[in-house]
Amino acid sequence: DAGVIQSPRHEVTEMGQEVTLRCKPISGHNSLFWYRQTMMRGLELLIYFNNNVPIDDSGMPEDRFSAKMPNASFSTLKIQPSEPRDSAVYFCASSFAGGSGEQYFGPGTRLTVT
Amino acid sequence: GIQVEQSPPDLILQEGANSTLRCNFSDSVNNLQWFHQNPWGQLINLFYIPSGTKQNGRLSATTVATERYSLLYISSSQTTDSGVYFCAVQGGSEKLVFGKGMKLTVNP
């Protein structure tokens, strides 16, 4: 069974450009999470969805960040406009909320904003 | 919010040695997971262990929920065990709160 799939794996962009990160959760999972990892702040939750509905977006840094989950098998995290301080690794994770709740992580997208 | 502290922050071992990693958390939890982040950055699930003891090969983990701590044991360490080990907990929501991690280096 395929794990969590993220694309792209690496993204290099210039300041001011729009960036879209994509995630496909594990089939059958109904919760999806976006995390960001930086040296300064470690791993922190940005937003999570349950049954495609955003539940907690308190970790989204500012209005430049937005996330959507149009269906159970796809989510996007968009940054517009991007800034150098957004450079980080962005992880998507999924879980089955009705079960143990164990979260499984994708390989991450390494974003560099120059 | 819930706080997660890991110790030690760094550890260097010779191959074959054993080690114990500790995770303390500040409040009751519904879920506790241990992850290994390998040198390529991938987060690998080691244990889902809100309470009790589990073993998987050379690794085992114990969580004492009433005392608010968890331990990860690595026996007969190998160079492939190198990386960063994270403890993460869930309190009242599905959100995972991560510790700062413990960097393990196993030398041949």
Side-chain angles (χ1 to χ4, degrees):
Chain A
D1 192 14
V4 176
I5 298 171
Q6 292 186 247
S7 65
R9 295 292 307 277
H10 301 273
E11 177 82 31
V12 180
T13 192
E14 291 184 350
M15 182 173 63
Q17 296 299 305
E18 177 179 297
V19 175
T20 299
L21 311 182
R22 296 172 176 80
C23 176
K24 177 179 170 55
I26 292 172
S27 177
H29 282 187
N30 58 358
S31 289
L32 183 141
F33 308 81
W34 284 100
Y35 292 88
R36 179 172 67 175
Q37 185 176 32
T38 61
M39 289 294 292
M40 291 293 293
R41 300 176 65 90
L43 273 155
E44 52 182 353
L45 179 76
L46 299 177
I47 185 172
Y48 81 91
F49 297 83
N50 184 258
N51 293 322
N52 312 337
V53 176
I55 302 300
D56 182 351
D57 66 354
S58 59
M60 295 286 264
E62 48 199 271
D63 291 345
R64 297 184 298 105
F65 285 68
S66 63
K68 293 182 180 179
M69 191 163 186
N71 58 62
S73 58
F74 184 65
S75 177
T76 59
L77 178 68
K78 185 176 294 186
I79 308 172
Q80 166 63 17
S82 57
E83 295 182 3
R85 60 187 166 132
D86 302 330
S87 298
V89 179
Y90 292 81
F91 287 100
C92 177
S94 71
S95 70
F96 178 56
S100 69
E102 183 174 3
Q103 293 185 22
Y104 295 85
F105 282 70
T109 295
R110 181 173 295 276
L111 174 65
T112 303
V113 183
T114 62
Chain B
I2 197 165
Q3 305 293 317
V4 181
E5 292 185 3
Q6 291 186 241
S7 60
D10 298 280
L11 189 60
I12 300 174
L13 300 174
Q14 288 299 121
E15 203 167 25
N18 303 327
S19 61
T20 301
L21 288 58
R22 186 176 179 102
C23 173
N24 292 330
F25 42 95
S26 61
D27 206 343
S28 58
V29 298
N30 299 323
N31 175 18
L32 187 145
Q33 292 185 240
W34 282 99
F35 296 90
H36 174 216
Q37 188 165 38
N38 64 22
W40 295 271
Q42 197 170 2
L43 279 165
I44 298 166
N45 289 40
L46 296 178
F47 293 101
Y48 165 80
I49 186 165
S51 63
T53 297
K54 290 186 177 179
Q55 181 153 9
N56 184 3
R58 296 181 296 104
L59 274 59
S60 63
T62 294
T63 297
V64 184
T66 53
E67 301 286 328
R68 298 182 184 167
Y69 73 89
S70 183
L71 302 173
L72 177 69
Y73 305 94
I74 304 174
S75 64
S76 304
S77 58
Q78 301 176 358
T79 55
T80 51
D81 294 331
S82 295
V84 181
Y85 289 80
F86 289 100
C87 169
V89 303
Q90 283 177 340
S93 76
E94 292 186 72
K95 163 184 172 178
L96 269 178
V97 177
F98 282 80
K100 293 184 178 180
M102 192 282 291
K103 183 177 179 181
L104 175 65
T105 303
V106 181
N107 293 320

